[in-house]
């Protein structure tokens, strides 16, 4: 018997594969090591990591009804970073849906959202790092994952789907930052102290995520025109469903919850409290289950399933535009990244970034470093400036990395 | 690291002004964590080609209309130019994957032949050109299969199957009485049937899997 050579896409993957030409969603993990990266060792590490995570080494192919993933044997050829951050990766059906590159002390793993989500990819990324550091420093640290390949490639959406739920619709018009956009994306990483930020969150009696979202909301409020305040701010917050359902899949398994804010001119404390309450309420299992069912019911609908993929592509692309237009921004917190104690001396920090159509935030932390990734298509960085200023007013400042040199010249 | 005294943010990289508030930065520069990438150049060749095609079309319309007050020859010029343009662009874009390129190339030529047929209605196309092209496609695939064996069959099974279906087009044209002398059509159909049954007998596993994944619902 031949081994399985293809996978069905998960629910989210199906949606993203249809809309990929509209706007490819790609996110990037990067790790900063203490020494420069050795390309050949990295390739060796990747080649063995792929054996643990075979569902990553796939190309995207078009079937009659849906796209599907075709397994290929050759892993990605590691290279020095030469494409822009989160650069589109799907040209034709022979291109892999991930990319591994390096620059100086950094290893970057970029993954198309068709394949996996942030938490699902983290296991793969850590596997690569563990293997790389083992090779480089002659260590024997075991990789962390103990779930089987079957568990890792499971479509957990399908497993925990309980049936269609009704869609809840907000009638409010959603605010969008209107400012000149540019062709490429500005990526920023703001590194601040986790302890300091944690203390601040404690002071406000909210979680880290809630406080970041509250500051983000406040940053938007400051650029809004008075007449735009009739509209509501909507921040999407992905929730890792692995924390709610027992799953160790490395494919997509997240739900979306959103924070809707329309009661302007509140203090930061009031916003933070409100966001905290909303997040707590919306991430309860029964609420999340409803949202998840809503997301999946579309794919489960027999009427939609039997439509040929060429037509589905067009239909989903249009829906995608509507959905994208229906949100102000999104904040995605990967949370704390932990590594084996023996490896931490070789690792300086972790970062996560995502491609965007508007402006988005992705967060992760490692030891005392809280890395806030921001990607923006706008020429002016006022929202980000407001964000940093609010933190500064609370005595939190840090180090910024930006992928541009003197971007103001383009104004 | 360079510092913005207004935002109190420290920056890595080659910046002179704060990207957030535009005030001058102070302190020593440190290298950026991101590489400085050269701007991706747009394919000038493609634009140049397109311009040449458009220019020739406009000039020939202009000249023919000026001389004869009608547009017969121009029609053919436009058709040939567009055909050529599509083929050349295709070679430029896909040159690094030759086998895949050849297969798609055949299909594109087939489609173009059909368009030609619809426009000029010459039975030479349906009697000779399309069947000969189909034979070439089938032979190309058989030879590649024999040379590359497993790896080609596993990787390109969908295309091989598609080509087998395309190989039946000449027969269909014959049934629709669009063929004057059907000898080439018969050769093509025979070859097609042989290849199809060879696939069925030797690769039925692949066939099953291909249908399964293409038809997953
Ligand atoms: Zn500044």
């Amino acid at each position: 018997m031949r081994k399985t050579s293809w996978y069905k896409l998960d629910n989210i993957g199906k949606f993203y594969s249809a809309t990929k030409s509209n706007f490819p969603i790609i996110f990037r993990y990067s790790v900063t090591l203490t020494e420069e990266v050795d390309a050949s060792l990295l390739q060796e590490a990747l080649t063995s990591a792929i054996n643990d995570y075979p569902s990553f080494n796939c190309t995207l192919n078009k079937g009659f009804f849906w796209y599907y993933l075709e397994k290929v044997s050759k892993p990605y050829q590691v290279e020095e970073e030469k494409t822009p951050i989160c650069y589109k990766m799907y040209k034709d059906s022979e291109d892999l849906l991930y990319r591994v590159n390096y620059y100086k002390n950094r290893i970057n793993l970029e993954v198309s959202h068709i394949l996996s989500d942030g938490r699902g990819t983290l296991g793969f990324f850590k596997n690569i790092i563990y293997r790389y550091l083992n090779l480089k420093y002659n260590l024997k640290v075991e990789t962390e994952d103990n779930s089987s390949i079957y568990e890792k490639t499971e479509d957990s959406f399908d497993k925990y789907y309980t049936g269609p739920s009704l869609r809840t619709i907000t009638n409010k018009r959603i605010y969008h930052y209107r400012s000149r956009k540019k062709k490429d994306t500005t990526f920023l990483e703001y590194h601040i102290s986790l302890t300091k930020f944690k203390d601040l969150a404690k002071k406000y009696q909210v979680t880290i995520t809630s406080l970041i979202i509250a500051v983000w909301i406040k940053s938007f409020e400051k650029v809004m025109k008075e007449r735009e305040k009739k509209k509501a701010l909507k921040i999407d917050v992905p929730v890792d469903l692995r924390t709610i359902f027992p799953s160790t899949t490395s494919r997509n398994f997240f739900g979306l919850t959103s924070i809707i804010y329309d009661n302007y001119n509140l203090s930061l404390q009031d916003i933070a409290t409100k966001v905290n309450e909303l997040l707590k309420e919306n991430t309860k299992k029964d609420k999340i289950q409803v949202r998840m069912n809503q997301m999946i019911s579309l794919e489960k609908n027999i009427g939609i399933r039997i439509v040929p993929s060429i037509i589905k592509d067009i239909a989903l692309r249009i829906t995608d535009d509507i959905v994208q237009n229906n949100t102000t921004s999104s904040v995605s917190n990967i949370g704390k990244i932990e590594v084996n104690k023996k490896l931490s001396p070789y690792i300086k920090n972790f970062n996560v970034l995502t491609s965007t159509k508007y402006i988005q935030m992705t967060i992760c932390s490692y030891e005392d470093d809280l890395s806030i990734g921001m990607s923006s298509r706008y020429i002016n960085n006022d929202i980000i400036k407001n964000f940093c200023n609010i933190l500064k007013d609370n005595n939190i400042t840090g180090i910024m990395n930006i992928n541009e040199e003197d971007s103001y010249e383009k104004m | 690291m360079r510092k913005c005294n207004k935002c109190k943010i420290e920056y890595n990289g080659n910046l002179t002004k704060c990207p957030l508030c535009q005030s001058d930065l102070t302190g020593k520069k440190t290298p950026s964590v991101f590489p400085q990438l050269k701007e991706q150049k747009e394919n000038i060749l493609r634009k140049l080609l397109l311009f040449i095609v458009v220019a020739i079309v406009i000039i020939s319309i202009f000249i023919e209309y000026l001389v004869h007050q009608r547009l017969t020859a121009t029609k053919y010029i436009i058709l040939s130019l567009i055909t050529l343009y599509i083929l050349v662009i295709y070679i430029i874009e896909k040159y690094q994957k030759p086998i895949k390129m050849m297969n798609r190339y055949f299909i594109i030529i087939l489609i173009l032949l059909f368009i030609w047929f619809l426009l000029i209605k010459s039975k030479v196309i349906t009697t000779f050109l399309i069947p000969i092209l189909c034979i070439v496609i089938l032979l190309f695939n058989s030879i590649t299969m024999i040379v590359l064996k497993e790896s080609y069959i596993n990787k390109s099974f969908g295309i091989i199957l598609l080509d087998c279906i395309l190989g039946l087009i000449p027969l269909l044209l014959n049934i629709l009485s669009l063929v004057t002398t059907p000898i080439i059509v018969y050769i093509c159909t025979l070859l097609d049937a042989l290849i199809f049954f060879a696939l069925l007998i030797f690769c039925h596993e692949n066939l099953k899997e291909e249908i399964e994944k293409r038809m997953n619902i």
Side-chain angles (χ1 to χ4, degrees):
Chain A
M1 265 303 277
R2 281 149 40 87
K3 272 195 262 172
T4 46
S5 64
W6 67 284
Y7 300 101
K8 279 188 183 189
L9 284 165
D10 58 68
N11 178 268
I12 300 285
K14 278 179 181 159
F15 188 76
Y16 286 156
S17 58
T19 57
K20 66 181 184 315
S21 59
N22 230 9
F23 172 68
I25 304 182
I26 290 158
F27 56 90
R28 157 196 283 224
Y29 270 112
S30 49
V31 62
T32 314
L33 304 173
T34 45
E35 282 188 279
E36 281 206 9
V37 175
D38 180 323
S40 63
L41 293 183
L42 181 58
Q43 182 68 59
E44 209 180 320
L46 174 65
T47 307
S48 36
I50 274 298
N51 290 330
D52 289 344
Y53 288 85
S55 66
F56 278 85
N57 217 46
C58 284
T59 58
L60 186 68
N61 291 268
K62 201 176 195 152
F64 189 72
F65 299 108
W66 297 109
Y67 285 86
Y68 61 90
L69 296 172
E70 179 111 45
K71 219 158 90 180
V72 285
S73 48
K74 227 177 127 213
Y76 190 85
Q77 201 59 43
V78 169
E79 66 205 335
E80 188 161 12
E81 188 175 353
K82 60 167 199 266
T83 43
I85 299 169
C86 297
Y87 191 64
K88 60 175 190 272
M89 45 181 66
Y90 179 89
K91 274 207 299 290
D92 67 28
S93 57
E94 282 188 32
D95 294 321
L96 289 167
L97 297 178
Y98 72 96
R99 170 188 297 140
V100 179
N101 57 31
Y102 62 92
Y103 179 68
K104 289 182 184 160
N105 295 10
R106 279 195 178 210
I107 300 175
N108 309 307
L109 168 66
E110 297 185 348
V111 173
S112 160
H113 225 316
I114 294 171
L115 271 188
S116 176
D117 59 14
R119 265 283 154 185
T121 301
L122 187 60
F124 178 43
F125 189 47
K126 277 167 81 174
N127 196 302
I128 298 171
I129 297 167
Y130 275 42
R131 287 175 188 279
Y132 173 79
L133 292 176
N134 277 342
L135 288 168
K136 172 111 184 174
Y137 300 106
N138 235 331
L139 306 167
K140 282 191 182 60
V141 181
E142 284 281 311
T143 51
E144 275 172 12
D145 30 64
N146 34 31
S147 45
S148 72
I149 286 177
Y150 175 75
E151 285 168 327
K152 276 184 286 207
T153 55
E154 169 193 275
D155 183 357
S156 300
F157 277 126
D158 193 55
K159 192 169 173 187
Y160 298 108
Y161 177 66
T162 53
S165 303
L166 279 176
R167 211 157 265 272
T168 42
I169 304 160
T170 37
N171 291 320
K172 284 244 164 58
R173 285 177 63 204
I174 301 301
Y175 168 76
H176 263 291
Y177 182 45
R178 303 264 170 234
S179 178
R180 267 176 66 202
K181 284 205 207 168
K182 51 182 186 162
K183 228 175 79 194
D184 43 357
T185 312
T186 309
F187 289 98
L188 305 104
E189 289 170 8
Y190 195 33
H191 292 270
I192 53 178
S193 156
L194 180 65
T195 334
K196 271 191 166 180
F197 196 83
K198 230 186 210 163
D199 290 343
L200 190 67
K202 219 175 267 166
K203 205 182 100 192
Y204 282 97
Q205 292 174 308
V206 294
T207 63
I208 292 178
T209 314
S210 303
L211 184 57
I212 291 178
I213 295 170
V215 176
W216 198 227
I217 287 174
K218 203 81 193 149
S219 316
F220 271 98
E221 201 182 319
K222 285 188 179 174
V223 295
M224 281 174 97
K225 299 186 179 92
E226 222 31 64
R227 60 177 184 279
E228 287 173 324
K229 293 193 176 171
K230 281 179 288 188
K231 297 179 186 173
L233 272 173
K234 180 162 166 273
I235 310 283
D236 279 343
V237 186
V239 179
D240 180 22
L241 294 176
R242 293 169 195 82
T243 57
I244 295 165
F245 300 97
S247 163
T248 51
T249 185
S250 60
R251 303 175 66 180
N252 281 307
F253 195 41
F254 67 96
L256 274 184
T257 173
S258 35
I259 305 289
I260 294 175
Y261 174 76
D262 52 5
N263 194 358
Y264 294 98
N265 303 320
L266 289 180
S267 69
L268 185 61
Q269 174 67 67
D270 290 340
I271 302 174
T273 314
K274 208 180 144 199
V275 169
N276 204 47
E277 276 167 19
L278 277 172
L279 271 187
K280 207 185 262 174
E281 181 60 30
N282 289 347
T283 50
K284 280 186 183 152
K285 190 173 174 178
D286 50 335
K287 279 250 170 147
I288 277 289
Q289 176 89 52
V290 170
R291 286 292 299 248
M292 189 182 95
N293 288 345
Q294 285 171 0
M295 279 165 79
I296 303 175
S297 57
L298 192 71
E299 186 234 315
K300 294 282 177 204
N301 186 314
I302 188 75
I304 289 172
R305 277 159 71 185
I306 57 168
V307 175
S309 55
I310 302 173
I311 298 167
K312 262 192 290 228
D313 275 16
I314 300 165
L316 286 176
R317 232 168 275 170
I318 296 164
T319 342
D320 181 50
D321 272 340
I322 298 166
V323 173
Q324 287 270 358
N325 274 317
N326 206 18
T327 169
T328 312
S329 177
S330 77
V331 174
S332 173
N333 189 358
I334 297 295
K336 205 170 172 58
I337 298 176
E338 274 160 344
V339 298
N340 190 296
K341 263 195 215 110
K342 284 181 199 141
L343 299 181
S344 49
Y346 306 101
I347 297 171
K348 272 194 201 156
N349 60 44
F350 279 91
N351 302 283
V352 56
L353 290 168
T354 179
S355 63
T356 185
K357 258 184 163 174
Y358 306 101
I359 182 164
Q360 264 167 277
M361 188 179 261
T362 39
I363 307 150
C364 69
S365 68
Y366 169 73
E367 293 189 334
D368 192 37
D369 175 57
L370 180 63
S371 171
I372 301 172
M374 289 167 273
S375 45
S376 159
R377 292 284 297 279
Y378 298 107
I379 292 175
N380 90 55
N381 294 324
D382 283 354
I383 299 171
I384 296 162
K385 186 192 79 187
N386 293 341
F387 182 84
C388 297
N389 275 341
I390 297 172
L391 292 187
K392 184 193 76 183
D393 294 341
N394 284 284
N395 287 321
I396 292 178
T397 55
I399 298 166
M400 183 80 87
N401 290 319
I402 178 167
N403 72 329
E404 283 174 355
E405 294 187 351
D406 289 335
S407 54
Y408 69 96
E409 277 171 1
K410 290 177 192 157
M411 285 171 92
Chain B
M1 241 171 281
R2 308 211 78 193
K3 191 171 181 182
C4 169
N5 292 314
K6 234 166 113 189
C7 304
K8 306 270 181 257
I9 295 172
E10 290 182 290
Y11 290 95
N12 284 313
N14 191 21
L15 296 159
T16 49
K17 294 199 178 213
C18 174
L20 304 186
C21 72
Q22 283 81 48
S23 49
D24 290 324
L25 298 176
T26 55
K28 252 192 161 169
K29 280 179 186 171
T30 41
S32 171
V33 298
F34 302 116
Q36 204 51 46
L37 298 170
K38 281 176 227 125
E39 270 188 41
Q40 308 252 323
K41 265 187 216 146
E42 276 194 72
N43 200 341
I44 188 78
L45 191 65
R46 207 190 159 124
K47 284 186 178 166
L48 198 67
L49 263 168
L50 185 63
F51 178 73
I52 293 170
V53 168
V54 172
I56 296 176
V57 168
I58 293 173
I59 292 166
S60 58
I61 290 174
F62 188 74
I63 292 174
E64 208 189 5
Y65 195 75
L66 219 65
V67 178
H68 302 293
Q69 265 84 50
R70 62 185 163 79
L71 294 169
T72 20
T74 306
K75 207 164 80 185
Y76 291 97
I77 295 174
I78 294 173
L79 265 176
S80 345
L81 274 175
I82 292 172
T83 311
L84 225 97
Y85 175 73
I86 293 173
L87 296 180
V88 170
I89 286 299
Y90 204 76
I91 294 177
I92 295 172
E93 295 216 324
K94 307 272 174 175
Y95 66 95
Q96 71 277 54
K97 288 157 187 166
I99 292 176
K100 195 156 200 167
M101 185 191 90
M102 279 310 286
N103 267 312
R104 295 224 186 130
Y105 210 80
F106 287 141
I107 294 168
I108 291 177
I109 297 175
L110 197 64
I111 295 168
L112 291 171
L113 281 178
F114 266 105
I115 296 171
W116 273 77
F117 177 68
L118 289 176
L119 288 171
I120 55 178
K121 305 212 165 47
S122 156
K123 284 194 178 173
V124 174
I125 295 175
T126 45
T127 310
F128 299 102
L129 296 181
I130 291 178
I132 289 173
L133 178 67
C134 287
I135 292 175
V136 172
I137 295 175
L138 291 168
L139 285 177
F140 173 82
N141 269 305
S142 329
I143 294 166
T144 332
M145 268 192 284
I146 292 163
V147 176
L148 298 176
K149 295 193 187 81
E150 276 270 294
S151 72
Y152 179 62
I153 294 171
N154 288 342
K155 240 168 99 184
S156 314
F157 200 78
I159 290 170
I160 300 171
L161 217 60
L162 180 66
D163 289 341
C164 274
I165 296 166
L166 294 179
L168 292 172
I169 288 175
L171 188 67
L172 194 74
L173 292 173
N174 194 24
I175 295 168
L176 296 171
S177 334
L178 295 170
V179 177
T180 44
T181 35
I183 178 71
I184 302 174
V185 172
Y186 292 148
I187 297 172
C188 179
T189 313
L190 179 76
L191 190 63
D192 192 71
L194 282 177
I195 294 174
F196 180 72
F197 282 106
L199 284 179
L200 203 63
I201 291 164
F202 295 110
C203 317
H204 67 275
E205 285 255 325
N206 297 62
L207 192 69
K208 214 179 97 192
E209 196 187 277
E210 191 64 30
I211 291 169
E212 245 173 44
K213 65 187 183 189
R214 294 274 168 189
M215 290 291 159
N216 91 77
I217 186 161

